[in-house]
Amino acid sequence: MSQLPDETLRRILQQIQNTAQQSSRSLSLCRAQISQKERDRRVLQLTTGEIMAIPRTSGADDVKMYKGVGKMFMQIPRPIMEKDLKAQEKQLGEEIAALTKKSKFLEKQLAEAQSQLKDIFHHAERQGM
């Protein structure tokens, strides 16, 4: 490592630092997205639980359900509401899984960059002795 010119060493160090900073920023953004998706999923599960707790009645006089559409509400049948909520929960689960996978990759990338920085500095200390 001591055979590399100072300018080349500085560029390598700068690149590793940039990678570490970018990984750190991306990791915090990814974690924030995961927690937001998990909150959304909990709200969805609570909503589904409350809808399931409403007793079913037969015929056309079933409990009326409304879904928010922009600034208004639209009446929809209960089976469609339940199906939509289940689909949304499934989609959120998939998004959380993808974000968790991305988060693990970013953690690994950040740890690798930090390890490289430590190696460079420890090697430089030994060379200075």
Side-chain angles (χ1 to χ4, degrees), residues 12-48:
I12 291 171
L13 186 60
Q14 183 70 31
Q15 183 180 10
I16 294 171
Q17 286 174 332
N18 288 341
T19 301
Q21 289 172 348
Q22 183 63 31
S23 295
S24 179
R25 274 189 235 117
S26 297
L27 183 59
S28 14
L29 178 65
C30 192
R31 286 179 178 161
Q33 288 175 340
I34 288 172
S35 39
Q36 179 62 43
K37 299 281 184 194
E38 286 175 345
R39 272 192 300 273
D40 291 346
R41 185 167 65 175
R42 280 192 299 269
V43 168
L44 210 55
Q45 288 171 342
L46 286 171
T47 304
T48 302

Side-chain angles (χ1 to χ4, degrees), residues 87-99:
Q88 288 176 8
E89 188 174 351
K90 181 181 176 186
Q91 180 183 2
L92 282 172
E94 291 170 356
E95 289 173 2
I96 289 171
L99 285 169

